[in-house]
Amino acid sequence: MSTAAHAVALPDQLSTPILDSESHYLLLSISSHGGYAYVSMATLAASGDFRAAEAAREMAWEQLHSGPWHSVLPVWRDAYSMACLYVAKFHYRNGEFKDALRVLDMGFIMGGMLLRKDLVSAIQIISAKARENDVQTHGFEKSEHKLVREAEFQKSEVFRFLPAKSLSSKIVVKRSALSLETFLREHFLCGCPVILSDYMTHWPARTKWNDMDYLIKVAGDRTVPVEINELRNDICIPDYCFVGGGELRSVNAWFGPAGTVTPLHRDPHHNILAQVVGKKYIRLYPASLSGELHPYSETMLCNSSQVDLDNIDEREFSNACDLEFMDCILEEGEMMYIPPKWWHYVRSLTTSFSVSFWWSEQGS
């Protein structure tokens, strides 16, 4: 295969130490479950046969879809990861980074835990090489393709889409340069929401995530529904998340078009929602109103309200329209602190890219 004049020099082999040390035992386990044809193809793949690697991947894929997901034997998930790594190795050697990443992403999503570290390491290495190759090939042209432009948002039009009585009562207080001590005393300990402004100015994400070309280069060809690690370096964990002496539970990115709605629900942890790109409308109800908001009785939905704020059934939930709430438009570059168990409804007013930080306090 011919390569571009500016292609990045690569080592001949993609390092997979866990695969190298565990492949023999994994193949024995697959054999014990009747996977003789797979073992034959995987052995050929390890010796350099690309078609055998693809065949092994197809065999493992069929096993993953042989019945309900919970009934799939874990060994076949590991077998799928193994085959994906073999296929990715061939693409890597040929400089076919997008093909390699596509295969590795599927291995990460559908595969087992045994080879997870090899998959993660390979994804990080190839992603970096792919970006480096793009820079050398295409340069650093300034992008004019913005994810969100100011013209997208017209406040006069917003009210047509918001729930009744929006922005007519108590607006969430906005604080600038709030010290950790003040945050602890006036918001964390008493469970009071607050908007934190002027904190995200140093985040690379503030400019990068509004650049369509950047997002396409980093993740445009990726098949990862849950996490995109390459974007992690563009954000910083807010110092407020360490108040209370607890630990960070999760960091999640939320991306979607204007009109995307997260219905009324509550979360068990402290939450800072950082609005990186675009704007969102947020409505909050305190935990003390949980009874009036009628949580579902089912275990899986007990953190969600039966009240649809966009179309309240006044016959069934007659008091819902009169409940006191706080709300606001969370602007680009602002963060909101949402205390545990506060009910919140969220609507994207533009294309939106947000990050939520969940943390628990000490002892919880």
Side-chain angles (χ1 to χ4, degrees), residues 40-335:
S40 177
M41 290 298 103
T43 302
L44 291 172
S47 64
D49 190 327
F50 176 72
R51 291 185 179 180
E54 284 283 25
R57 187 164 66 120
E58 287 295 325
M59 291 176 188
W61 181 261
E62 290 179 6
Q63 290 293 328
L64 296 183
H65 294 79
S66 60
W69 181 251
H70 63 80
S71 68
V72 176
L73 293 174
V75 70
W76 282 112
R77 300 180 193 178
D78 291 328
Y80 185 71
S81 297
M82 169 187 267
C84 286
L85 283 167
Y86 283 137
V87 172
K89 282 172 172 281
F90 290 101
H91 289 310
Y92 175 81
R93 283 204 297 266
N94 289 331
E96 299 162 352
F97 302 133
K98 292 180 180 179
D99 292 328
L101 285 172
R102 196 170 294 116
V103 171
L104 291 169
D105 284 339
M106 290 305 299
F108 184 87
I109 296 167
M110 302 295 289
M113 296 303 298
L114 177 65
L115 304 176
R116 180 60 58 96
K117 288 185 178 180
D118 276 357
L119 288 166
V120 170
S121 175
I123 288 170
Q124 291 175 342
I125 291 170
I126 297 176
S127 295
K129 293 292 186 182
R131 290 196 299 273
E132 185 178 348
N133 195 51
D134 278 342
V135 167
Q136 292 193 14
T137 303
H138 303 293
F140 290 94
E141 298 90 349
K142 181 176 176 61
S143 171
E144 298 297 331
H145 304 113
K146 297 297 183 184
L147 185 66
V148 176
R149 297 181 183 276
E150 188 62 29
E152 285 188 36
F153 180 77
Q154 296 181 2
K155 194 169 184 177
S156 60
E157 297 292 316
V158 165
F159 291 95
R160 297 195 297 121
F161 306 103
L162 297 183
K165 300 183 180 180
S166 292
L167 302 175
S168 64
S169 183
K170 189 175 182 180
I171 304 297
V172 181
V173 66
K174 186 179 297 188
R175 305 289 296 272
S176 177
L178 189 66
S179 69
L180 293 179
E181 181 183 355
T182 303
F183 172 76
L184 174 66
R185 183 178 65 252
E186 298 182 7
H187 299 282
F188 183 89
L189 293 178
C190 61
C192 183
V194 63
I195 295 174
L196 306 163
S197 62
D198 303 326
Y199 183 86
M200 297 160 53
T201 55
H202 62 293
W203 286 18
R206 288 283 288 112
T207 54
K208 288 184 174 182
W209 290 12
N210 199 22
D211 183 343
M212 282 294 295
D213 291 341
Y214 173 76
L215 295 177
I216 290 171
K217 286 179 181 178
V218 171
D221 295 299
R222 301 295 302 281
T223 313
V224 184
V226 178
E227 60 187 80
I228 302 167
N229 287 328
E230 287 76 6
L231 298 179
R232 179 62 181 81
N233 293 331
D234 295 337
I235 63 175
C236 303
I237 299 174
D239 292 338
Y240 303 108
C241 294
F242 300 103
V243 167
E247 60 179 316
L248 194 67
R249 294 291 184 177
S250 66
V251 179
N252 297 294
W254 309 97
F255 176 70
T260 300
V261 171
T262 302
L264 195 59
H265 71 288
R266 60 179 178 175
D267 301 314
H269 301 298
H270 296 272
N271 181 13
I272 282 184
L273 178 64
Q275 189 61 29
V276 183
V277 177
K279 305 172 189 285
K280 282 183 172 176
Y281 169 80
I282 302 177
R283 179 179 290 197
L284 300 160
Y285 294 87
S288 60
L289 295 179
S290 293
E292 289 86 343
L293 292 174
H294 304 276
Y296 284 96
S297 57
E298 294 89 345
T299 303
M300 293 294 291
L301 296 172
C302 64
N303 70 327
S304 298
S305 169
Q306 298 181 60
V307 178
D308 180 359
L309 291 182
D310 292 311
N311 186 25
I312 296 178
D313 186 336
E314 297 188 19
R315 292 176 299 178
E316 188 172 2
F317 309 116
S318 57
N319 297 329
C321 293
D322 300 322
L323 297 177
E324 292 188 4
F325 60 85
M326 304 169 67
D327 66 352
C328 69
I329 292 178
L330 191 64
E331 302 282 349
E332 187 170 292
E334 294 180 340
M335 297 177 174

Side-chain angles (χ1 to χ4, degrees), residues 339-360:
K341 299 183 180 180
W342 272 66
W343 295 88
H344 47 291
Y345 161 100
V346 184
R347 173 182 282 269
S348 296
L349 304 180
T350 65
T351 301
S352 173
F353 216 148
S354 312
V355 180
S356 61
F357 301 87
W358 278 12
W359 81 98
S360 62

Side-chain angles (χ1 to χ4, degrees), residues 19-31:
L19 174 63
D20 297 342
S21 63
E22 298 294 331
S23 60
H24 174 71
Y25 305 102
L26 178 55
L27 291 177
L28 287 177
S29 180
I30 295 170
S31 294

